[in-house]
Amino acid sequence: MSDNRPTILWLRRDLRLGDHPALQAAIARGGPVVPVFIHDDLVEGLGVAPKWRLGLSLADMAGRLDALGSRLILRRGEALDVLRGLVEELGAGAVMWSRLYDSDSINRDKHVKTALKEDGVEVESHAGHLLFEPWTVETGAGGFYKVYTPFWRAVRGREVATAVSAPADIQAPDAWPDSDRLEDWHLGRAMNRGAEVCRPYQRVGEEAAQGRLGWFMGHAVGAYDETRDLPAEDGTSGMSENLALGEISPRQCWHAGCRAMEEGKPGAEAWLKELVWREFAYHLMYHTPHITKESWRPEWRDFPWSDVEDDHVLAWKQGRTGVPFVDAAMREMYVTGKMHNRARMIVASYLTKHLMTHWRIGQAWFEDCLTDWDPASNAMGWQWSAGSGPDATPYFRIFNAETQAKKFDPDGVYLRRWIAEWQRGPTKTALSFFDAVPRSWCLNPHMPYPEAPIVGLKDGRRHALDAYEAWKS
């Protein structure tokens, strides 16, 4: 039966029109649909760069809704209070949203759902952020997966529903409720001058995400297995920022990858495995939510990492460790808002092993600086590199940044792209780093590059292994 009362669509990390199950369900009720985004405590708690990037996505989503004769309503406050107020204003009969899987969001959503149902409001949560809901993938014994390869085997042959096209129109209410102005939220205020530097590197919104996916499938996926580890090459899909905010659905990505496999493009399966690695991170975050806050393996909670943000940590943050591959990667992050995946492993290994600093410090810094920040992938990546997580690289596997650079950037293109100090004619990208970082760091391209690493690669490796052996015994 159709219900002509308005339906409130609570948007979160699903800022798209295509393949949007919650939106489709709201339209199917037969009445007006009122999309709303709520600036609550969880939004306020976002890091600097993710919050700025969210603002760009919201502006794009608002424009796409306007083109369909709809509107994005912005409200600030506690989610339940805002939704109750809108239900009363509109006489709404239902509230719908796409599920999130971190513990803070789950707790908030359970509270909201229970309260609204007690008020007599229909409430539905829908899939859409993942390919496979975490509770639907089980081992033969009925538990959750703790190792990636068996997880991949369990899901690779599963049927994934076809992606649904964007609606041609969205019925509007007779009168729209008041809305905050996005610019009054100042979501990008803390980015300061970094916003202007970083903005050209963002592919914002659904149209940009679809365009990038099409380009990747047409031009780069075939060589993906060879080029994905080369930081100087444009060899990855670059979909992480769009998936993080739901500007594209994982189903759209999955089916594009499957079509590429059917066409015989050799890198397609490797890319699909990376898409499922994201699923695995969410699977673990859902079943073991402590992964975002403490070492996943209990025995690693007393490992002697330092929690002190000393001068070495500051040098790491500033991209001035004296280890070129590490420094280039950190500088790439400040200019582009992203960091190549191979470089992320090198950066994390150096912090947690050579500098013996707790992975939580790196995790928090990435949460502040990455425009493609994702709670599950960030936590999983840091714990994988540190050795404390599920299916992690062994602690004694310590990346040598120098040999990694020789292997994956043999001509030094990546290093020259991001490090200005030891170049006579620095690249524009390398110089942009000094425009992006905080003024309080007082960095400029005329400073000498560190003559030696703050912790040498051989000495740091030996110290890390000694600490590991002492801890084990």
Side-chain angles (χ1 to χ4, degrees):
M1 284 181 64
S2 64
D3 184 341
N4 290 324
R5 290 179 298 170
T7 297
I8 296 169
L9 177 67
W10 180 15
L11 294 170
R12 294 100 71 82
R13 289 184 172 268
D14 52 350
L15 300 177
R16 64 180 183 276
L17 296 176
D19 197 36
H20 196 308
L23 172 59
Q24 293 292 334
I27 292 172
R29 292 189 77 253
V33 176
V34 179
V36 59
F37 185 90
I38 302 171
H39 187 317
D40 64 1
D41 289 342
L42 297 189
V43 172
E44 184 61 28
L46 289 173
V48 172
K51 189 185 292 186
W52 168 71
R53 179 60 176 80
L54 170 64
L56 301 180
S57 189
L58 288 171
D60 179 84
M61 185 66 174
R64 294 181 68 80
L65 287 167
D66 284 346
L68 291 183
S70 186
R71 193 175 296 183
L72 179 59
I73 301 301
L74 303 174
R75 291 286 178 94
R76 187 166 190 159
E78 292 299 315
L80 178 58
D81 295 340
V82 170
L83 291 170
R84 274 179 164 160
L86 284 169
V87 166
E88 184 175 355
E89 286 180 54
L90 294 162
V95 176
M96 298 188 180
W97 63 74
S98 303
R99 296 186 195 106
L100 296 174
Y101 306 90
D102 61 285
S103 59
D104 290 339
S105 295
I106 289 172
N107 292 336
R108 175 195 61 188
D109 295 352
K110 283 182 177 178
H111 173 63
V112 169
K113 182 176 283 191
T114 298
L116 290 179
K117 284 186 172 181
E118 289 175 352
D119 293 345
V121 179
E122 180 184 344
V123 183
E124 291 181 7
S125 60
H126 293 265
H129 198 59
L130 300 175
L131 291 169
F132 315 106
E133 297 298 85
W135 52 89
T136 69
V137 185
E138 293 184 331
T139 66
F144 66 93
Y145 283 93
K146 302 176 184 178
V147 179
Y148 169 75
T149 300
F151 181 86
W152 160 251
R153 291 177 183 144
V155 302
R156 64 182 176 182
R158 282 195 172 196
E159 183 177 351
V160 175
T162 303
V164 179
S165 299
D169 61 83
I170 300 173
Q171 185 178 341
D174 293 334
W176 286 100
D178 291 338
S179 173
D180 293 352
R181 297 194 314 159
L182 182 60
E183 54 267 33
D184 291 341
W185 284 0
H186 301 291
L187 294 177
R189 175 184 289 165
M191 279 288 284
N192 295 314
R193 61 179 185 164
E196 184 178 352
V197 176
C198 202
R199 180 61 182 89
Y201 296 93
Q202 310 308 303
R203 299 186 187 94
V204 177
E206 187 170 7
E207 184 176 351
Q210 294 288 350
R212 175 63 186 187
L213 181 64
W215 177 89
F216 178 71
M217 290 300 162
H219 298 88
V221 73
Y224 176 74
D225 217 8
E226 291 77 38
T227 59
R228 61 177 173 163
D229 280 321
L230 306 178
E233 299 287 335
D234 188 11
T236 66
S237 70
M239 302 306 301
S240 57
E241 64 172 308
N242 308 113
L243 284 167
L245 289 169
E247 294 171 345
I248 194 169
S249 80
R251 292 197 302 202
Q252 292 168 315
C253 295
W254 177 263
H255 288 301
C258 289
R259 286 192 296 271
M261 274 190 67
E262 292 168 1
E263 294 166 1
K265 296 179 178 178
E269 184 174 17
W271 186 73
L272 289 173
K273 286 181 177 179
E274 292 301 312
L275 196 60
V276 172
W277 179 260
R278 174 181 179 268
E279 296 283 315
F280 183 53
Y282 272 90
H283 182 80
L284 288 164
M285 184 176 70
Y286 176 80
H287 288 289
T288 54
H290 69 273
I291 193 174
T292 64
K293 295 179 174 65
E294 59 185 3
S295 292
W296 188 83
R297 297 178 186 271
E299 66 271 23
W300 279 86
R301 293 172 194 169
D302 64 353
F303 188 75
W305 279 306
S306 170
D307 281 316
V308 178
E309 298 202 31
D310 57 14
D311 289 344
H312 282 176
V313 173
L314 178 60
W316 175 84
K317 288 182 176 181
Q318 291 181 339
R320 289 186 56 80
T321 65
V323 180
F325 202 166
V326 172
D327 295 341
M330 296 299 286
R331 297 177 186 209
E332 177 190 18
M333 179 169 66
Y334 300 130
V335 174
T336 70
K338 287 157 276 191
M339 185 188 295
H340 190 275
N341 188 60
R342 170 60 55 173
R344 294 187 197 209
M345 292 188 284
I346 306 305
V347 159
S349 180
Y350 190 76
L351 181 72
T352 59
K353 296 173 182 178
H354 288 85
L355 301 187
M356 286 295 294
T357 298
H358 205 294
W359 58 266
R360 286 194 303 252
I361 289 176
Q363 177 199 29
W365 190 242
F366 273 27
E367 183 176 344
D368 233 12
C369 299
L370 288 172
T371 57
D372 66 352
W373 174 77
D374 174 284
S377 296
N378 193 38
M380 180 73 169
W382 273 97
Q383 295 224 44
W384 184 90
S385 296
S388 61
D391 204 13
T393 180
Y395 183 82
F396 52 79
R397 184 186 177 194
I398 300 174
F399 286 107
N400 183 306
E402 185 176 348
T403 58
Q404 289 281 305
K406 289 178 180 178
K407 182 177 181 180
F408 297 110
D409 186 38
D411 298 323
V413 175
Y414 182 70
L415 302 187
R416 290 194 299 275
R417 183 176 296 163
W418 298 113
I419 300 179
E421 293 94 316
W422 38 258
Q423 295 187 66
R424 181 167 295 177
T427 61
K428 181 181 178 180
T429 48
L431 292 172
S432 293
F433 160 72
F434 298 96
D435 296 325
V437 296
R439 290 184 176 88
S440 61
W441 284 358
C442 300
L443 301 181
N444 69 76
H446 306 295
M447 301 172 64
Y449 187 72
E451 293 183 4
I454 53 174
V455 173
L457 298 179
K458 290 182 179 179
D459 290 343
R461 174 184 172 81
R462 184 170 58 251
H463 179 54
L465 292 177
D466 287 347
Y468 177 63
E469 291 300 327
W471 171 71
K472 278 202 309 179
S473 60

